[in-house]
Amino acid sequence: MFTGKSSVPQGSLCDYRIYRLSFREWIRCFLEAAAAEAAVVYVFYRSLALFMLVLPLAAAWPVFRRDGLRKKRQEILRVQFREGLMALSSALEAGYSVENAFGASVRDLTEMYGKDGMITVEFSAIVDQMKMNRTPETLLMDFGNRSGIEEIRNFAEIFAVAKRSRGGISSVISHFARVISGKIRVREEILNMTAEKVFEQRIMNLIPFFIVIYVDVTSPGFFTVMYRTPTGRLVMTGCLALYTAALLLSRHFLKIEV
């Protein structure tokens, strides 16, 4: 859902620790949850009354989905920050002052991500506020706190120390840029390695639904006893419990913190 563009005007900087769903995203998340509930109720219970009873639960799904969208936005920002850091390092090595280096970085980032890219908006705001006599280290600290990203906070702290020492800031930033770039690259490789397994997990999660639909199409009435007798409903409830446990277990195995 999230494209990596800034969701707020440039004059109103974003707090990346908080994700506010738009009305369209709320509707989309609700419809996704309602569709999932419909599939589960159809496969395990075949009860319209039960579907209507649990339908209000779909309204809670956007709240849980919001956290995933927040993490996705932060992941995109982390990658964009790496590019911004490399652009800043290159400008400093070319002899620019810190203030002018940020301006040169904005031009490079605009070409890569457009003027509405998250890192472009952030670096542009730093340039604009430095013209109002605010120090770059203070602005970077604010950005690091709002980002909720460890690498950005670390860079802000190192930048502040290097700026106060009034020496070797270019070499310090260049070294940190290489370190953080390598760290983010390793993170990306781990995520790419697990992406295939995540896709396989999603396919496996859908197989029980495909099986039931296939049997319904090829042998109508085969599962009727499972939906119209107390014993059948009890068995299907047990199957749903096992399916839920398997789903949660597979998500736990594939949840790798990087």
Side-chain angles (χ1 to χ4, degrees):
M1 289 183 186
F2 192 74
T3 61
K5 299 297 184 181
S6 175
S7 58
V8 293
Q10 185 165 335
S12 177
L13 295 176
C14 178
D15 188 338
Y16 300 93
R17 297 165 297 182
I18 302 172
Y19 193 97
R20 295 180 176 85
L21 290 170
S22 66
F23 178 74
R24 180 177 296 181
E25 287 174 325
W26 271 98
I27 295 299
R28 184 181 300 175
C29 290
F30 174 78
L31 292 177
E32 288 175 355
E37 287 182 0
V40 169
V41 171
Y42 174 80
V43 168
F44 291 99
Y45 294 104
R46 300 282 172 87
S47 171
L48 179 60
L50 180 60
F51 171 71
M52 298 304 296
L53 182 66
V54 300
L55 183 59
L57 295 178
W61 174 242
V63 176
F64 296 100
R65 186 74 180 100
R66 182 170 54 194
D67 186 59
L69 291 173
R70 175 186 60 79
K71 291 179 179 179
K72 182 177 181 180
R73 180 175 64 182
Q74 287 179 316
E75 197 62 41
I76 294 173
L77 178 61
R78 180 181 280 108
V79 174
Q80 291 188 4
F81 175 70
R82 179 188 66 186
E83 299 302 327
L85 198 56
M86 297 302 292
L88 182 64
S89 174
S90 298
L92 288 170
E93 290 177 350
Y96 285 89
S97 65
V98 172
E99 292 75 11
N100 291 333
F102 274 102
S105 301
V106 170
R107 291 191 291 270
D108 294 338
L109 294 171
T110 301
E111 293 180 1
M112 284 189 285
Y113 301 114
K115 65 178 181 179
D116 294 326
M118 288 185 289
I119 196 63
T120 310
V121 170
E122 292 293 341
F123 273 37
S124 296
I126 290 175
V127 171
D128 291 340
Q129 295 195 44
M130 281 193 295
K131 295 176 183 178
M132 301 168 62
N133 295 324
R134 294 195 64 186
T135 61
E137 52 267 37
T138 301
L139 297 170
L140 282 171
M141 279 291 188
D142 175 66
F143 176 33
N145 292 332
R146 286 186 292 102
S147 71
I149 298 174
E150 180 185 2
E151 292 85 352
I152 300 179
R153 288 196 299 264
N154 290 343
F155 173 72
E157 293 171 359
I158 291 173
F159 183 89
V161 172
K163 196 75 165 56
R164 286 195 297 268
S165 66
R166 297 182 180 277
I169 188 170
S170 176
S171 60
V172 170
I173 292 178
S174 297
H175 174 71
F176 188 79
R178 290 192 295 270
V179 171
I180 194 173
S181 179
K183 183 178 179 180
I184 294 176
R185 188 175 295 111
V186 170
R187 183 186 183 91
E188 288 179 324
E189 290 176 357
I190 293 175
L191 292 175
N192 290 334
M193 289 171 60
T194 59
E196 182 179 353
K197 296 301 180 182
V198 171
F199 179 74
E200 291 177 0
Q201 177 215 352
R202 291 174 178 172
I203 296 299
M204 293 296 293
N205 292 341
L206 295 175
I207 286 180
F209 298 91
F210 291 147
I211 291 175
V212 171
I213 293 173
Y214 175 77
V215 172
D216 273 346
V217 172
T218 56
S219 303
F222 185 83
F223 285 126
T224 301
V225 67
M226 305 302 292
Y227 303 116
R228 296 185 178 177
T229 64
T231 302
R233 291 185 179 276
L234 183 62
V235 170
M236 294 305 287
T237 300
C239 290
L240 177 59
L242 289 174
Y243 174 78
T244 303
L247 181 64
L248 295 175
L249 193 62
S250 64
R251 288 174 62 88
H252 175 73
F253 287 150
L254 291 174
K255 187 178 181 180
I256 301 176
E257 296 292 339
V258 291

